[in-house]
Amino acid sequence: MGLPALEFSDCYLDSPQFRERLKSHELELDKTNKFIKELIKDGKALILALKSLSTAKRKFADSLNEFKFQCIGDAETDDEICIGELPVMKSNIFPRPIENASDVLIMPLERFRKEQISAAKEARKKYDKETEKYCAVLEKHLSLSAKKKESHLHEADNQVDNVRQHFYEVSLEYVFKVQEVQERKMFDFVEPLLAFLQGLFTYYHHGYELAKDFNHFKTDLTISIQNTRNRFESTRSEVESLMRKMKENPHEHKSVSQHTMEGYLFVQEKRSFVSTWVKYYCTYHREPKRITMVLFDPKSGGKTGEEESFTLKSCTRRKTDSIEKRFCFDVEAVDRPGVMTMQALSEEDRRLWMEAMDGREPVGYQVAQLDVIGFNVMKKFIYAVETRGIDDQGLYRIVGVNSRVQKLLGLAMDPKTCADVELENSEWEIKTITSAIKHYLRVLPGPLMTYQYQRSFIKAAKLDNQEARVTEIHALVHRLPEKNRQMLELLIKHLATVANHHQQNLMTIANLGVVFGPTLLRPQEETVAAIMDIKFQNIVVEILIEHHEKVRGNRPHVQHKISQSGVLDPSPDHIFSISQSQTSWISKKNQSAPSSQTRERYKGQRLTTGPSKAPYSPEAEVIFFMFWHLKNVVTQNLLSHSHSLIVSSIAGRKARALYACKAEHNSELSFIAGTIFENVHASREPGWLEGTLDGRTGLIPENYVDFL
């Protein structure tokens, strides 16, 4: 497990969990700084100690072996794994040192340590100083009496707002710098090592043989470094953009939703007839209406009490004239006696707490759709790119002028003007057309590969086995809604054509993955953790392009209908298709009449059950409702016996896994594609089978296996 992502929104909450995650990054930076110092020391010894070269090179290699890169996120890309293998090398690859070894190795490492890690340390000092200052000013501000003059209170509010804003900005910049250094070391730190090794190989007595053995790894590593650098630049720009957005509109990017609210509250507690205000970190979950409180002081950096939890009964705003403190509200619990008075950090903070306990979030609106117009526009754009600019260098990387892109897309998608748009005309540059394609995909109501399967695609990209990745992504593509899948196939076929011309346009599969990964698999929430998954989004797109013929092929076999295994497809539509040829099964005494709404919806429509379409007529209505009754009867009869049919036909059989599956419960089995199960039989759980694998019996998804 790598380092956790630091969310900018957590800078505003300043939660205990955020402080713990930040601390893990700080420890990692200290560890890296210490390691670089040791590596520089050992490197100098290696260069100078010609008489004891064998001992020095062994110690240098041992130092490398002790260090392992920690990536941000829960998995590594193939490129990061390749880079991570660099330290794990035998000592016999270090022959005679080169004359300029200090310039190649020592100086870049010193520069990285001084410019990057030292900058992070300075930011850390500034952050700690601002934390102490903000907490002190805030506590002093909240102790002001509401009976003070309005002008005095207004001036105090402005002062604390300025301090708070400055603290937030320092916090955001510190989090950005910490994560930037963590990512930079993957190439700024490794590149000097690679250059140093290359120089050593050049002067080695057996340099030719050694370089030849090293060549494959060196090539892979060079490509991996370049890919990692490209992904870093893309990720860094996204993170920096998010940081700027949060600086400009902090309230719009706080981690607040209709489901939860968290932050610091001061709770009034009465002790020995004296009221005191105690600072708690509180979390509220809307669905179970559960409030959790824990004593925590950011200045000391640790918990000072156990968690306390209760169920919310009511929340009432406190009027200013009813209490000396400002920003207060009363909370009444179901499972706790009395009323608690809580003080928020500001008027805005109190409003957010009140909305979280009784509020809603707005719903966005998008214009672009996966309709006939959208498909026609994409086909027209793709044809223009493939016929006019397939060999243009930097295709899809060079961005068109935004105003021109908007104009083209507006004209092409307007039914009144679409016919007049002539893409063969030199008026429309290729970069304008490619930018229009990307913009159309970005403004769809949801990503082309849907929010529903976004995490599944990322999970598939993290699988260790390449064949398993392709198989799982193939299966996921065919689970997409039909229009989404058709548009994806249209796009991927085009990108494969672009990649086939990479020697001319320089757009390799990896480059296309960088361009389209964040668009096709954009997350619902713009967070740092989501940005760190961009590299896996890119891998998904790379797999789609590289294996586009397989992915665009037939749907992966999933057992439905009545087959050799005896499994019955319980789909009502399939049963209806069977029932249309079995009209004699209709039993009038079991029929239930269709609702009046169903009849009204039918009238005025065209009959579409056959190859020809006829307008509404009484005779057509009779046929329609005959089949409507038939569908109900057959569905009820067949479904009532489906379970017994399944049990009698598949008990004790062998089956092969079609797809990989990771268990999410101890009653389930984990397996890869191609696994053979013994003694497979029906389970009491709907949609699941039970089987034995390596002596262990557990549940298997019914549509993940094929019976032998």
Side-chain angles (χ1 to χ4, degrees):
M1 181 64 70
L3 295 171
L6 299 175
E7 299 296 344
F8 286 134
S9 57
D10 287 340
C11 294
Y12 298 97
L13 295 174
D14 199 21
S15 68
Q17 295 80 7
F18 167 69
R19 289 280 179 160
E20 287 295 322
R21 292 193 292 270
L22 185 57
K23 188 175 182 180
S24 67
H25 280 261
E26 292 169 347
L27 292 175
E28 178 63 18
L29 285 180
D30 292 339
K31 178 183 173 183
T32 302
N33 187 48
K34 182 180 179 181
F35 171 75
I36 292 177
K37 286 182 178 179
E38 289 295 321
L39 191 61
I40 291 173
K41 178 182 177 181
D42 295 341
K44 289 179 179 178
L46 178 63
I47 296 170
L48 297 175
L50 297 176
K51 295 181 180 180
S52 58
L53 178 59
S54 177
T55 303
K57 67 182 181 181
R58 189 179 302 110
K59 187 177 186 303
F60 187 72
D62 291 342
S63 296
L64 287 175
N65 289 336
E66 291 175 0
F67 183 77
K68 179 174 174 56
F69 290 116
Q70 292 292 336
C71 67
I72 298 178
D74 60 357
E76 296 177 329
T77 64
D78 292 341
D79 294 321
E80 290 170 340
I81 293 172
C82 179
I83 292 174
E85 290 175 353
L86 177 64
V88 188
M89 305 182 76
K90 296 181 179 179
S91 58
N92 60 7
I93 71 167
F94 297 98
R96 186 182 307 167
I98 56 178
E99 294 180 357
N100 63 338
S102 180
D103 295 336
V104 173
L105 178 66
I106 305 301
M107 292 179 62
L109 293 181
E110 286 280 10
R111 185 165 55 250
F112 175 78
R113 190 177 67 83
K114 292 178 180 179
E115 293 180 0
Q116 299 299 327
I117 297 181
S118 296
K121 286 187 174 181
E122 289 299 320
R124 177 180 177 179
K125 292 179 182 178
K126 185 177 180 182
Y127 176 68
D128 291 340
K129 182 179 178 180
E130 288 300 322
T131 297
E132 185 175 355
K133 177 181 177 181
Y134 170 64
C135 291
V137 170
L138 182 63
E139 290 181 6
K140 180 180 179 181
H141 177 66
L142 294 174
S143 64
L144 288 176
S145 173
K147 296 181 179 179
K148 294 277 187 180
K149 292 183 179 180
E150 189 64 26
S151 59
H152 182 75
L153 292 176
H154 183 67
E155 181 180 354
D157 288 347
N158 290 337
Q159 181 183 2
V160 79
D161 284 344
N162 291 335
V163 175
R164 180 188 294 112
Q165 181 62 31
H166 185 62
F167 169 70
Y168 287 163
E169 291 181 359
V170 170
S171 180
L172 287 168
E173 291 172 353
Y174 178 46
V175 167
F176 174 76
K177 186 60 181 177
V178 166
Q179 297 196 117
E180 180 187 20
V181 176
Q182 298 285 21
E183 289 289 291
R184 272 187 176 277
K185 69 182 181 184
M186 296 296 285
F187 54 88
D188 275 355
F189 173 61
V190 176
E191 271 191 325
L193 291 175
L194 181 61
F196 179 65
L197 294 178
Q198 184 61 39
L200 289 176
F201 291 142
T202 305
Y203 289 91
Y204 191 60
H205 180 67
H206 300 292
Y208 175 75
E209 291 82 6
L210 196 59
K212 185 170 61 175
D213 294 339
F214 182 75
N215 191 57
H216 177 72
F217 178 75
K218 183 192 72 172
T219 302
D220 289 346
L221 186 59
T222 303
I223 295 173
S224 295
I225 290 173
Q226 187 59 46
N227 289 341
T228 303
R229 183 189 295 277
N230 291 340
R231 288 167 183 155
F232 165 78
E233 294 297 339
S234 174
T235 301
R236 185 185 185 278
S237 63
E238 293 287 341
V239 175
E240 190 174 19
S241 174
L242 178 58
M243 183 184 71
R244 286 198 300 267
K245 291 179 184 177
M246 299 192 74
K247 279 186 174 182
E248 295 169 0
N249 301 293
H251 297 301
E252 295 181 6
H253 292 84
K254 290 186 178 181
S255 294
V256 179
S257 70
Q258 62 180 356
H259 302 293
T260 185
M261 177 69 187
E262 57 182 321
Y264 287 101
L265 292 172
F266 285 80
V267 180
Q268 186 181 37
E269 296 183 354
K270 294 182 180 180
R271 299 173 182 174
S272 303
F273 305 102
V274 178
S275 295
T276 60
W277 293 87
V278 183
K279 188 177 185 179
Y280 286 89
Y281 190 82
C282 302
T283 304
Y284 173 71
H285 293 279
R286 182 180 180 85
E287 189 61 32
K289 290 189 175 182
R290 199 73 181 165
I291 298 177
T292 302
M293 306 191 315
V294 59
L295 277 169
F296 186 83
D297 186 359
K299 291 185 292 186
S300 63
K303 294 181 180 178
T304 57
E306 298 296 327
E307 286 189 354
E308 183 180 358
S309 183
F310 55 88
T311 302
L312 177 70
K313 181 179 180 181
S314 65
C315 177
T316 307
R317 183 186 298 270
R318 284 292 293 265
K319 295 182 179 180
T320 304
D321 56 3
S322 67
I323 190 170
E324 289 190 355
K325 298 281 187 178
R326 297 190 296 165
F327 321 134
C328 294
F329 57 93
D330 291 337
V331 171
E332 189 175 1
V334 174
D335 47 358
R336 172 176 172 161
V339 176
M340 285 185 295
T341 299
M342 296 182 171
Q343 183 185 27
L345 304 184
S346 64
E347 185 64 39
E348 172 67 11
D349 191 41
R350 177 169 67 172
R351 183 186 66 80
L352 291 174
W353 278 101
M354 300 297 292
E355 285 186 357
M357 295 176 183
D358 186 20
R360 297 178 180 177
E361 292 288 337
V363 179
Y365 175 75
Q366 298 284 353
V367 176
Q369 298 292 335
L370 291 173
D371 52 12
V372 175
I373 294 177
F375 274 88
N376 289 338
V377 167
M378 284 292 286
K379 290 176 182 177
K380 194 172 183 178
F381 286 173
I382 288 172
Y383 178 78
V385 173
E386 293 183 356
T387 55
R388 286 183 51 201
I390 195 69
D391 292 331
D392 287 8
Q393 290 190 1
L395 194 65
Y396 284 108
R397 291 299 287 262
I398 300 176
V399 181
V401 179
N402 186 57
S403 59
R404 298 285 295 164
V405 173
Q406 296 285 355
K407 179 181 178 181
L408 172 59
L409 203 56
L411 292 172
M413 297 193 69
D414 189 341
K416 298 178 181 178
T417 59
C418 61
D420 299 329
V421 178
E422 296 181 0
L423 296 179
E424 297 79 7
N425 195 320
S426 58
E427 174 190 2
W428 303 112
E429 296 179 290
I430 289 299
K431 64 181 181 181
T432 303
I433 301 174
T434 55
S435 296
I437 290 176
K438 293 185 291 184
H439 186 74
Y440 168 80
L441 295 172
R442 279 195 294 265
V443 298
L444 288 171
L448 194 58
M449 299 170 76
T450 72
Y451 293 127
Q452 178 183 358
Y453 294 110
Q454 198 259 359
R455 293 305 310 163
S456 298
F457 277 109
I458 297 297
K459 186 177 179 182
K462 294 179 180 179
L463 294 175
D464 296 332
N465 183 276
Q466 176 68 7
E467 183 179 351
R469 294 181 193 172
V470 177
T471 301
E472 185 64 19
I473 289 174
H474 181 198
L476 288 169
V477 166
H478 284 276
R479 294 184 204 167
L480 294 173
E482 185 64 20
K483 290 184 179 179
N484 294 64
R485 185 180 63 80
Q486 291 175 356
M487 182 63 79
L488 180 64
E489 290 181 354
L490 176 67
L491 176 66
I492 295 302
K493 181 181 178 182
H494 166 62
L495 296 183
T497 303
V498 173
N500 288 337
H501 292 255
H502 70 274
Q503 292 184 345
Q504 292 78 31
N505 59 36
L506 306 182
M507 291 304 294
T508 62
I509 292 177
N511 286 338
L512 291 171
V514 170
V515 173
F516 285 92
T519 298
L520 299 181
L521 281 165
R522 71 176 187 268
Q524 267 184 302
E525 296 182 2
E526 191 177 11
T527 63
V528 174
I531 293 173
M532 292 306 166
D533 272 340
I534 288 177
K535 52 194 174 186
F536 295 104
Q537 297 170 2
N538 301 346
I539 290 174
V540 172
V541 176
E542 291 173 18
I543 290 174
L544 289 174
I545 298 173
E546 186 174 359
H547 302 273
H548 68 282
E549 292 184 356
K550 177 178 179 180
V551 174
R552 289 175 60 244
N554 295 330
R555 178 186 294 271
H557 177 65
V558 179
Q559 277 189 288
H560 289 304
K561 303 187 170 61
I562 299 177
S563 62
Q564 293 179 352
S565 65
V567 178
L568 174 66
D569 177 11
S571 165
D573 292 331
H574 175 57
I575 294 173
F576 186 39
S577 67
I578 296 174
S579 66
Q580 287 179 320
S581 62
Q582 304 294 329
T583 56
S584 61
W585 288 12
I586 298 178
S587 173
K588 292 183 179 180
K589 63 180 180 180
N590 291 326
Q591 292 177 18
S592 59
S595 65
S596 58
Q597 291 85 350
T598 302
R599 289 179 172 272
E600 290 302 320
R601 282 199 302 270
Y602 174 76
K603 288 184 177 181
Q605 297 177 355
R606 297 171 65 87
L607 184 64
T608 60
T609 57
S612 62
K613 298 183 179 181
Y616 168 78
S617 67
E619 293 79 8
E621 184 180 10
V622 171
I623 296 173
F624 172 79
F625 287 110
M626 178 182 73
F627 284 122
W628 190 90
H629 286 297
L630 177 62
K631 180 179 178 181
N632 285 348
V633 173
V634 177
T635 300
Q636 292 172 4
N637 282 279
L638 291 183
L639 286 182
S640 64
H641 299 291
S642 61
H643 184 71
S644 61
L645 177 59
I646 293 171
V647 172
S648 63
S649 60
I650 67 174
R653 300 184 61 181
K654 290 185 177 181
R656 178 187 289 108
L658 297 172
Y659 319 109
C661 179
K662 185 175 181 180
E664 298 181 356
H665 190 269
N666 56 14
S667 65
E668 302 171 12
L669 294 177
S670 294
F671 50 86
I672 63 174
T675 300
I676 303 298
F677 303 98
E678 302 285 345
N679 190 28
V680 179
H681 54 276
S683 167
R684 294 182 179 179
E685 297 289 337
W688 293 81
L689 300 174
E690 200 170 84
T692 303
L693 175 62
D694 296 332
R696 181 171 176 266
T697 300
L699 296 175
I700 310 165
E702 184 179 2
N703 59 351
Y704 271 51
V705 300
D706 191 8
F707 285 89
L708 303 178

